[in-house]
Amino acid sequence: MKKFHREMIHGYYSRYYSPSNIVITAAGNLNHERLVDLAREHFEDLRVSGALPPAQVPVPHARLVFKNKVSLEQTHLYMGVPAYPFPHELRFACYVLNTVLGGGMSSRLFQNIREKQGLAYSVYSDLSMYRDTGCMAIYAGTSIESAGKVVECIIKELREIKENLVPAEELRRAKDHLKGSFMLGLESTSSRMGNLVRQELYFQRFFSING
């Protein structure tokens, strides 16, 4: 933290926060002309640089990190593997995989580790995708005594989904869950704005809900 100071933040802002690198999106009951006027009022004076941050794709490396806190009665586990970046054509397969593995109460991790064996208070997988990389992480909150068994079970589920095809009915349920979650996720104006700006940044086009 000693090397992190105000000049670094200001320098980064000055280099990369320019009109050519900014996308403004809005959703809801608005007037387009008024929105354009507001954007011009607040952003017109930004210096035009056109520079982009250096493209440095993160290189993952396997390691173990342990942090002990005496006051905690639980063990919190995170296991992560690389995933595709957001613009990749296989992103949809990643979303389905995440749903099958640990994306809800009917997922394999939840059913096999929490419901059937009672080994974890909470267990799920989460998919994060970015411009140049991605990560699928599995979380489990369990007791100290059950931590080793939970890790074994997670690895078992990963091997199972790697070595054997997902049954058609399970695949259908996962896809239906994703469709429903996506539709419900667009009910707020903030989520609609996020969806619009992601499409513009990553694809330079708009995808309707109907495809």
Side-chain angles (χ1 to χ4, degrees), residues 23 31 35 48 54 67 75 89 92 97 116-117 121 128 139 151 169 173 178 184 203:
V23 176
N31 179 277
L35 178 64
V48 179
K67 292 188 177 180
T75 295
E89 61 181 4
F92 302 113
L97 170 63
K116 294 181 180 179
Q117 301 185 74
Y121 306 103
S128 300
Y139 166 81
V151 172
E169 178 59 22
R173 291 198 305 268
L178 278 172
L184 292 174
F203 306 105

Side-chain angles (χ1 to χ4, degrees), residues 96 99 169-183:
V96 174
T99 302
E169 178 59 22
E170 186 179 11
L171 192 62
R172 183 194 64 78
R173 291 198 305 268
K175 291 180 178 180
D176 289 344
H177 175 79
L178 278 172
K179 293 175 185 177
S181 299
F182 180 75
M183 294 286 290

